Amino acid sequence: MEAPLPGLSLLLLLLAVGWGGRMDAAWAPSPGGCELVQSIMDCTGRWLSSIPGNLRGDTEELFLDDNTIQVLGNASLLLYPHLWHLSVTRNRLELIEPGAFLSSQGLEVLSLTDNLLFTNYSLTAAALSALPALRMLDLAGNQLREDMVSVLVSNLSSLESLSVARNIIMRLDSSTFTNLTELLELNLEKNYIFEIDNAFEGLQRLQRLNLAYNYLPCLVGFDLTELKVLNLSNNVIEWFLSMEIDDLFELEVLDLSHNRLLFFPVLPRQSKLHSLLLQDNRMSFYQRLPNGTSLANVTMQFLIIDGNSTNITTVRLWDELCHSNLSSLRLLDMSQNEVWGLPDDFLAQMPSLTHLKLNQNCLEAFHLPEEDPLARLTELDLSHNQLVELGVKVGAGDILPSLQLFNLSTNRLQALPPGIFTHTRKITTLDLSYNRVALCPRPGEAQSLSCVDIRGVETLSHLSLAGCGLQGMGGRPFQGTSLMHLDLSDNRQLLSGDLAWLQDLVLTLQVLSLRNTSLSSTTDLSALSSLVRLDLSGNCLAAFPAWLGALRLRSLDLRDNCLPALPRDLPQQAPLGRSLRELYLSHNPYNCCTLGWWDALQQAQGLRVPDGQEVTCRHGPRALSPGALPQPVLQSCQWHTANMELLYLVLALPTCLTLLVAFVVVFLMLKEKLLKMVKNRCGVSSPY
C-alpha cells in the first residue's frame, strides 16, 4: 500500500483542526481542570507532562506554568493555530522540537523561564527560528552561556524584548546579539558578566538595558545614544565614562547605585537625563580637601586597551562636571556615599532638580546657592550626616519656594537659620529628629536664642522632633500651624512641665507619638479631641489611663509598658470602644489569672490586635500566650481565686469569734448587776 501524499495529509490535518475548533466552540468540552476566560486558557500547576489536546481550538493565550513538561513536540501545538501568547515557565523543559511552532506562526509572546533549555539549545534554536512574528522572548533561568544565547536568538530579527536574566553569561561581544535589529529592551541582570566588548553596536533601536547584579568593574566609552534607561546597579563599577562627543543622548534614567564608584560619573555632554541614581557607592569630591588643599587642576589618566591598540584618555575631573549638561535632571540620589562637601556651583547646574537625596554621607555643612537656589526642589534629604551648619542667605529672595519635604534628622544641628521657613510656602513635612534643637516659644526669639521657629508655617502638617532632648516646652511654639502628625518620641523630660503648649494642636492634630517620654497615667491629654492615632509605647504605664476613654482613637499603641491588665469593659467604653480599630499590646507583664479583658477584646467586632501573637502573660516566672493557657495554669488560677476567698474567710472568722466570746464573757460577768439594775428601774411595788 502506498503512503498518502504529503500534501493530502497536511490538508486532512488542517481540516481536522478546523473541524475540531468548530466543535470545541460549539460545545466547549471540559479542558481537564484548566480555567478558561474568554480565549485565555490557564493550566497553571496541573501536574501536566504535556500540552493537553482537549482545549478550545480558538485559544489565543495559553499558560502552562508550574507543570512537569519536558518536551514540546512537533505536534504539541497543532490544535491551536490562533495562539499568540504561550507561557511554559517553571517546568522541566529540555527540548523544543524544530517543528513545534510550525502551526503557530502568529506567536508573539513566548515565556520559557526557569527550565533546562541548555541541554538541547541547538534544536530549540531551530524551533524558535520558525516564529516570524515573535516580539517578546523570556529565557531567564535556563543555565545558558553566552554562546548558547547567541545561537538561540541568531534568527529572531523580529524580537523587540529579550530577557536572558539569571543565566551563566560571563562575557558579551559583537557576536552575541547579531541580527536583533528591532530590539528595544534587553534584560541581562543576575548573570556573571565581567566584560563587554562592542556587544550592543548592532542594536540601533535599543532603549532599555538592564545589566544589574553582574560583575562589571567599569564602563568606559559609553556611546549608546538611543538608549533611554540604563540599569547598572549592583555591580562592582569604579568608573563610568561617556564618550566625548557632542551627539544628543536620549538617556533619561541612569542607575549606578550599589557599586564602588570613586568619582561622580562623567556623563554625556548632551542628554535628556532626568533621574540619576548613585546610592551606596564610595563616591566623594576632591576639588577641595578638608585641610584646605585644592585639587581643582588634578587630572586622571585612563589606559584603554582595545584589542591590539591602546589609548590614553586624560580627564580633568572637575571640568567634566561643567561639560556634562544636567539642566534636565530632576532626581539625584547620592545617599550612602562618602561625600563631605559639594563642588562650587554643583547644584547650580541643575535648575530642574525636584528631588535631592544626600542622606548618609559625611556632610558637615550644606550651603544653598544664592542665585536661583533650587527653585523647583520639592524634596531635600540631608539626614544621617554630621551637619552642624545649614548655610542659607536669608533675605536674598525666595528660599526653596517649592520645598515640601525637608529631612534633617540625625545630625548635629542646634538651630536653623532665622527665617528659613518664611519663603517655603509649600512645606508640609519637616524632620528634625535626633538633633539638639529646641522650638522657639515666642515669635522673634530665633534671632537671640538657639532655636527653631515654625510659628505661622500654615502648610506644615508633619513634624518630627524625636530624640531632640526637649524639656518642658513653654509658650506657644505651634501657634499658627496646622499640624496633623507630630512625633515627640524619645524626649524623656518633655512632659515634666505645663502642657499648655498643646493648646494650638487641639483642632488639627490626628497622629501623636509620645513613645519613651516618661508619660504617667495621670497625664491628661483628653483635650486633643481630634486624635485618631496615639503611640504611648515605652512609658512604663502601670495602669490604663482613664482619660483615653474620652478620645475617638482608631489606633492605640500600648506596647512596652508595665500594664498588668486592661479594663474589661474597654470595647464598650464610649467613645473609645466604638472607634478603636487597632490596638497594640505586646511586651507588658499581664497577669495570667486576670485575662477577662483579653477575652472581651477577642469578641469585640471590628477591633484587631496586630501583635496578638506576641502578647504574653505572666504566671510566676513563666511567660505564656493568653490564648492557649495550659490546664495546670488555669487550675492554679482557680485555686488562687478560691484561696483568696478562703483567706478572707480565715481572716474574718477569728475576729468575729473574738468579738462573740468577748460579748458572752462581758454578759456573764455583768448578768446579776444588769438584772438588779433593770429590776430597780423597772420594778413597781404591789399592794397587798
Side-chain angles (χ1 to χ4, degrees):
M1 183 176 179
E2 295 182 357
L5 295 174
L8 180 59
S9 300
L10 180 60
L11 177 61
L12 292 174
L13 178 60
L14 291 176
L15 287 174
V17 170
W19 178 254
R22 287 193 294 273
M23 288 291 290
D24 289 342
W27 51 273
S30 173
C34 299
E35 297 180 2
L36 174 65
V37 179
Q38 295 181 349
S39 60
I40 303 173
M41 194 67 68
D42 189 355
C43 300
T44 300
R46 305 293 177 179
W47 292 97
L48 300 174
S49 59
S50 62
I51 298 179
N54 62 340
L55 307 181
R56 289 178 58 124
D58 61 349
T59 298
E60 297 181 359
E61 299 184 58
L62 178 56
F63 294 89
L64 296 163
D65 308 333
D66 298 303
N67 284 290
T68 59
I69 299 172
Q70 290 183 294
V71 178
L72 288 184
N74 290 329
S76 296
L77 298 171
L78 281 176
L79 299 177
Y80 314 111
H82 302 289
L83 207 61
W84 70 268
H85 185 182
L86 176 62
S87 180
V88 197
T89 67
R90 294 180 299 279
N91 278 263
R92 301 173 184 173
L93 195 61
E94 299 178 356
L95 170 64
I96 302 178
E97 294 183 350
F101 297 124
L102 289 178
S103 63
S104 306
Q105 297 293 291
L107 196 65
E108 298 181 14
V109 180
L110 179 58
S111 180
L112 301 171
T113 64
D114 297 308
N115 283 289
L116 304 169
L117 293 180
F118 71 97
T119 53
N120 295 285
Y121 69 93
S122 57
L123 292 175
T124 299
L128 295 176
S129 65
L131 294 172
L134 191 62
R135 295 186 299 107
M136 301 179 64
L137 176 61
D138 194 340
L139 297 172
N142 276 283
Q143 303 180 45
L144 299 172
R145 301 190 308 269
E146 55 267 25
D147 58 318
M148 299 177 182
V149 172
S150 178
V151 172
L152 284 166
V153 303
S154 59
N155 295 310
L156 302 180
S157 58
S158 61
L159 269 189
E160 296 179 1
S161 175
L162 172 63
S163 174
V164 284
R166 295 185 290 108
N167 283 288
I168 52 176
I169 301 170
M170 304 182 75
R171 186 181 183 278
L172 300 175
D173 57 31
S174 57
S175 65
T176 309
F177 302 113
T178 54
N179 300 325
L180 300 183
T181 55
E182 300 298 318
L183 198 64
L184 300 174
E185 182 174 3
L186 177 57
N187 187 355
L188 289 157
E189 71 175 357
K190 295 184 179 178
N191 277 280
Y192 299 88
I193 302 171
F194 65 89
E195 183 179 1
I196 300 176
D197 184 11
N198 298 323
F200 310 120
E201 281 189 348
L203 309 180
Q204 298 299 323
R205 299 190 60 194
L206 190 63
Q207 295 182 3
R208 302 176 66 89
L209 176 58
N210 187 353
L211 285 161
Y213 294 97
N214 280 283
Y215 293 89
L216 293 171
C218 63
L219 199 96
V220 179
F222 172 68
D223 61 351
L224 299 178
T225 57
E226 298 301 317
L227 200 65
K228 292 185 177 181
V229 178
L230 176 57
N231 187 353
L232 292 166
S233 63
N234 293 280
N235 279 271
V236 290
I237 297 173
E238 295 184 348
W239 307 92
F240 180 91
L241 300 174
S242 299
M243 285 287 287
E244 296 184 12
I245 55 177
D246 293 325
D247 295 1
L248 176 62
F249 283 68
E250 297 294 327
L251 190 63
E252 297 177 357
V253 179
L254 175 57
D255 190 348
L256 286 164
S257 60
H258 309 290
N259 276 284
R260 300 178 183 177
L261 282 175
L262 301 173
F263 296 92
F264 193 84
V266 179
L267 302 170
R269 293 177 178 177
Q270 300 293 330
S271 73
K272 300 180 180 179
L273 191 65
H274 62 69
S275 298
L276 179 56
L277 307 176
L278 303 172
Q279 176 191 7
D280 187 22
N281 279 280
R282 302 174 181 178
M283 192 172 59
S284 186
F285 295 99
Y286 303 96
Q287 184 179 24
R288 188 172 293 107
L289 299 180
N291 60 8
T293 304
S294 176
L295 300 178
N297 296 319
V298 171
T299 60
M300 297 295 296
Q301 290 186 332
F302 296 91
L303 177 62
I304 302 174
I305 302 176
D306 186 6
N308 295 325
S309 64
T310 59
N311 182 30
I312 298 178
T313 300
T314 302
V315 177
R316 294 184 62 184
L317 295 174
W318 316 121
D319 286 348
E320 290 300 326
L321 290 175
C322 300
H323 292 165
S324 300
N325 187 351
L326 302 176
S327 59
S328 60
L329 195 64
R330 298 197 297 269
L331 167 62
L332 176 59
D333 187 350
M334 294 171 55
S335 58
Q336 294 178 256
N337 276 279
E338 300 174 8
V339 177
W340 64 269
L342 300 178
D344 297 338
D345 300 326
F346 177 69
L347 297 176
Q349 301 178 73
M350 311 171 193
S352 302
L353 201 62
T354 58
H355 296 76
L356 177 58
K357 296 179 179 290
L358 290 168
N359 51 296
Q360 298 185 61
N361 277 283
C362 309
L363 293 171
E364 296 183 355
F366 181 81
H367 297 272
L368 292 173
E370 297 181 8
E371 297 181 2
D372 192 20
L374 304 175
R376 298 185 183 181
L377 196 66
T378 60
E379 178 182 352
L380 177 56
D381 191 346
L382 299 173
S383 61
H384 293 87
N385 277 280
Q386 302 176 29
L387 286 176
V388 294
E389 178 187 359
L390 186 64
V392 177
K393 188 176 181 180
V394 179
D398 287 352
I399 303 171
L400 305 172
S402 302
L403 192 64
Q404 298 177 20
L405 188 151
F406 198 5
N407 191 348
L408 290 165
S409 65
T410 318
N411 279 285
R412 296 187 292 172
L413 293 169
Q414 296 186 5
L416 297 182
I420 187 174
F421 299 117
T422 303
H423 301 286
T424 51
R425 296 182 294 270
K426 298 181 180 180
I427 191 166
T428 61
T429 304
L430 176 61
D431 192 345
L432 292 169
S433 56
Y434 302 101
N435 286 280
R436 303 303 293 181
V437 298
L439 294 184
C440 299
R442 298 176 183 82
E445 292 189 350
Q447 302 289 344
S448 56
L449 299 178
S450 179
C451 58
V452 177
D453 191 359
I454 61 169
R455 295 166 59 96
V457 185
E458 298 178 355
T459 58
L460 190 62
S461 60
H462 294 66
L463 176 62
S464 178
L465 295 167
C468 289
L470 299 176
Q471 300 182 12
M473 289 190 293
R476 300 179 64 181
F478 301 112
Q479 186 177 18
T481 64
S482 300
L483 284 177
M484 299 173 61
H485 294 241
L486 179 60
D487 187 356
L488 296 170
S489 305
D490 298 322
N491 290 287
R492 300 286 296 175
Q493 301 182 31
L494 173 69
L495 305 175
S496 57
D498 187 11
L499 300 182
W501 48 271
L502 288 171
Q503 61 182 301
D504 293 308
L505 305 174
V506 170
L507 299 179
T508 61
L509 194 62
Q510 298 181 7
V511 179
L512 175 61
S513 178
L514 292 173
R515 182 183 68 255
N516 192 26
T517 54
S518 301
L519 178 79
S520 67
S521 301
T522 58
T523 303
D524 191 352
L525 300 176
S526 59
L528 299 174
S529 56
S530 299
L531 280 180
V532 296
R533 187 179 183 91
L534 180 60
D535 184 357
L536 300 180
S537 60
N539 279 295
C540 297
L541 291 173
F544 185 83
W547 51 266
L548 284 173
L551 298 177
R552 291 179 172 82
L553 298 175
R554 295 186 62 85
S555 177
L556 176 61
D557 193 341
L558 293 171
R559 286 175 290 189
D560 295 294
N561 278 286
C562 301
L563 296 170
L566 265 64
R568 188 165 187 169
D569 62 343
L570 177 60
Q572 288 77 40
Q573 287 186 10
L576 177 64
R578 298 176 182 175
S579 63
L580 197 60
R581 293 293 176 266
E582 191 176 69
L583 182 60
Y584 293 88
L585 295 171
S586 60
H587 303 104
N588 278 283
Y590 301 116
N591 188 340
C592 287
C593 294
T594 57
L595 289 176
W597 59 270
W598 176 258
D599 297 332
L601 289 181
Q602 301 305 304
Q603 299 172 6
Q605 296 292 329
L607 178 60
R608 67 187 189 95
V609 182
D611 60 339
Q613 298 295 326
E614 302 175 36
V615 175
T616 59
C617 62
R618 290 284 180 181
H619 187 266
R622 302 170 63 187
L624 305 171
S625 172
L629 292 179
Q631 192 63 31
V633 174
L634 294 174
Q635 294 176 354
S636 174
C637 288
Q638 292 174 355
W639 276 108
H640 178 73
T641 304
N643 289 340
M644 289 301 295
E645 296 175 354
L646 182 61
L647 177 62
Y648 294 146
L649 178 62
V650 170
L651 292 176
L653 186 60
T655 303
C656 296
L657 290 175
T658 301
L659 292 175
L660 180 61
V661 170
F663 176 76
V664 171
V665 170
V666 171
F667 178 76
L668 293 175
M669 292 177 61
L670 301 177
K671 178 179 179 182
E672 296 183 0
K673 294 182 179 180
L674 288 174
L675 291 175
K676 291 180 180 180
M677 186 182 298
V678 172
K679 183 176 181 181
N680 291 334
R681 291 188 176 185
C682 301
V684 180
S685 58
S686 302
Y688 292 93

